[in-house]
Amino acid sequence: LARVADQRLTTRSATRCLENYQKVTAIERAAKLARGDLLVELIDVYGVRAIDIARRTGERPGDLSEMVAVCRTFPRQSRQRDAIYNHLLLATRAMRRFPTLGLTPEAALREIIRTGLTQHRDVTRHFDRLSRRRSTHLLEGPSVEASDPLLDRCHHARVQDVLPRLADGSIQMLAIDPVYVFARSNSTYRARAARSRDCDDMHDPAAAIGTVIDVLRISQPKLAPGGVFLLWQPWQSLRPEIMAAADEHGWVIDGPIIWDKGRPQPGRFDSPYSPQGEFLWLLHRPGDSPVDCDGDLSREMILNFPPVSAPSSAHQQLHAFEKPVALCEHLVRKHSRPGDVVVDACACTGSMSVAARKLGRRWVYIESSNENFAIGAGRLAPRD
Ligand SMILES: C[S@@+](CC[C@H](N)C(=O)[O-])C[C@H]1O[C@@H](n2cnc3c(N)ncnc32)[C@H](O)[C@@H]1O
């Protein structure tokens, strides 16, 4: 539905109507802040009370006091030009309600914008969790340094070696698409197309599972509040070793979410069925709620995206296990906001990094094999 709506909004008249709507919305937001500023002036300069003004204007005193509180917390001189009243209101309330967090107005606002929360109830729940965990990252400002040399880069390395170097609390979305290991040793999952290549350590299941276990062990402190760990796995139950490690390192597992490719694929050739998709497991920290940035649009557990190898695909497949960029974009949009850090572990052709870069996220591409790194790094080479 969202895709259809996007298309409808591309006609000239619809675009114009939407632009007008956005202009009026901007005026409305600015007007609310301008009203708050005038109220502050009436109170501070002319010594009247909110209740006196309310009597004259017929408004509710509580509404006026709220506007005054927002405009005092974010005075006109220090306010961003495009500030959104609702964000400022939520930040003002969070500061008052959770004094033990010692939030500055900027830190509270940054957290509201970063999490994408818009409802008072959700904001309260979020800051309540932070205060119970005595989270200090808010006081220290964003854990992502604009100039961090690890960001927006391709790393020819093992994910286990790069992750520890990333700042604690910096990763909004950590996606790992490891080499798949199948339950039965006699089953193979080799794509047979001429252009396909096997993943390098395909022959070493212990190494493949070990990589996932290592990442489960290292990554929890690296996640930002509301951050997610997305783990791609084949169409089968989660390996017991991975389950055990997730448990040991205190992860909450949601899912699986199904990537439905809409066509059968190889797999266990002794099974009467042929899977049509792969599983995506969503893991997060206990007590944390994963950010859902497009929560109003889609909460589907089946993601319908054709594979890169589909005959309809205009893109020349680069690798047998390449994920479609459209699918990656969907996940990036859902679990992060512009400026957030997306880590593409076991990145190969780098579809996730391509999606993250396209959508204005900071990205970290990590791939250990020479051959696959050459493909991904070529695709992500700086553009003119
Ligand atoms: C299934 S492929 C990933 C495909 C990728 N999602 C894409 O869209 O192209 C798995 C990749 O993980 C890489 N890999 C395996 N172990 C790794 C490790 N410890 N660190 C980084 N990359 C690793 C393999 O070389 C392989 O390229």
Side-chain angles (χ1 to χ4, degrees):
L1 286 174
R3 250 177 257 139
V4 171
D6 272 351
Q7 240 160 18
R8 287 187 183 147
L9 286 172
T10 54
T11 65
R12 197 181 299 169
S13 56
T15 309
R16 202 172 316 122
C17 188
L18 182 62
E19 277 168 9
N20 286 339
Y21 173 79
Q22 285 172 312
K23 272 187 211 149
V24 176
T25 307
I27 293 167
E28 190 184 31
R29 280 178 189 153
K32 189 130 194 200
L33 287 166
R35 282 170 68 199
D37 292 335
L38 289 169
L39 288 171
V40 170
E41 190 178 329
L42 282 168
I43 293 167
D44 290 355
V45 180
Y46 301 102
V48 286
R49 298 169 304 165
I51 196 158
D52 304 321
I53 304 165
R55 215 175 21 247
R56 293 287 282 268
T57 61
E59 291 165 289
R60 284 183 21 196
D63 292 345
L64 302 191
S65 302
E66 189 178 85
M67 276 188 269
V68 169
V70 169
C71 291
R72 280 203 204 287
T73 310
F74 294 95
R76 189 170 22 193
Q77 340 42 289
S78 61
R79 208 182 291 149
Q80 295 265 351
R81 273 171 63 89
D82 54 355
I84 295 176
Y85 182 82
N86 190 45
H87 288 162
L88 304 186
L89 172 63
L90 292 171
T92 304
R93 285 180 176 168
M95 283 178 63
R96 291 182 157 193
R97 178 118 192 224
F98 299 97
T100 52
L101 277 172
L103 291 163
T104 60
E106 294 70 32
L109 181 61
R110 201 166 45 230
E111 189 64 4
I112 302 274
I113 295 174
R114 193 190 64 73
T115 52
L117 299 173
T118 54
Q119 301 300 317
H120 179 56
R121 184 196 55 216
D122 298 335
V123 170
T124 304
R125 202 178 295 149
H126 177 71
F127 281 93
D128 186 42
R129 271 195 211 112
L130 291 178
S131 73
R132 272 190 271 131
R133 284 212 313 257
R134 293 201 182 80
S135 189
T136 53
H137 79 281
L138 294 172
L139 316 177
E140 291 155 4
S143 22
V144 182
E145 287 286 331
S147 59
D148 189 330
L150 296 176
L151 303 183
D152 306 327
R153 259 199 60 189
C154 293
H155 299 265
H156 186 192
R158 291 181 339 135
V159 56
Q160 298 94 316
D161 299 327
V162 178
L163 271 184
R165 294 162 55 209
L166 290 164
D168 282 358
S170 65
I171 305 174
Q172 194 59 43
M173 172 174 155
L174 166 56
I176 177 164
D177 186 9
V179 173
Y180 286 177
V181 176
F182 284 80
R184 300 200 177 186
S185 55
N186 64 351
S187 66
T188 57
Y189 186 52
R190 288 164 196 279
R192 285 159 291 171
R195 63 194 164 195
S196 68
R197 296 161 222 239
D198 288 334
C199 281
D200 292 357
D201 43 357
M202 190 77 167
H203 57 276
D204 187 356
I209 295 176
T211 299
V212 177
I213 293 175
D214 284 346
V215 176
L216 286 168
R217 179 171 45 76
I218 304 167
S219 54
Q220 217 176 89
K222 303 292 167 190
L223 283 194
V228 290
F229 179 133
L230 299 180
L231 171 64
W232 285 108
Q233 285 290 281
W235 188 276
Q236 63 183 36
S237 49
L238 205 51
R239 296 282 303 202
E241 304 92 317
I242 295 179
M243 286 278 255
D247 197 38
E248 182 185 344
H249 300 296
W251 290 96
V252 177
I253 306 181
D254 284 351
I257 296 131
I258 294 164
W259 170 27
D260 181 359
K261 301 180 185 180
R263 61 197 297 232
Q265 61 183 66
R268 286 181 37 201
F269 291 105
D270 57 349
S271 164
Y273 296 100
S274 186
Q276 301 237 355
E278 294 175 29
F279 282 156
L280 180 65
W281 299 87
L282 187 151
L283 288 81
H284 62 89
R285 278 192 295 235
D288 201 8
S289 1
V291 175
D292 182 3
C293 300
D294 71 354
D296 294 341
L297 296 178
S298 141
R299 285 168 32 86
E300 287 146 21
M301 66 170 292
I302 300 181
L303 312 176
N304 291 290
F305 290 90
V308 178
S309 59
S312 58
S313 171
H315 166 74
Q316 171 70 45
Q317 187 176 10
L318 301 167
H319 193 285
F321 303 116
E322 179 179 351
K323 293 278 181 292
V325 171
L327 167 62
C328 297
E329 278 184 29
H330 171 85
L331 296 169
V332 168
R333 271 201 201 93
K334 193 161 194 65
H335 296 294
S336 68
R337 305 186 64 78
D340 283 344
V341 173
V342 172
V343 172
D344 186 9
C346 297
C348 193
T349 64
S351 296
M352 191 61 84
S353 304
V354 169
R357 180 172 77 175
K358 186 170 164 198
L359 296 171
R361 275 57 169 177
R362 314 298 306 268
W363 51 276
V364 182
Y365 166 106
I366 313 168
E367 169 58 52
S368 60
S369 113
N370 293 338
E371 189 183 7
N372 297 346
F373 178 80
I375 299 172
R379 201 174 179 198
L380 285 152
R383 295 161 298 186
D384 295 336

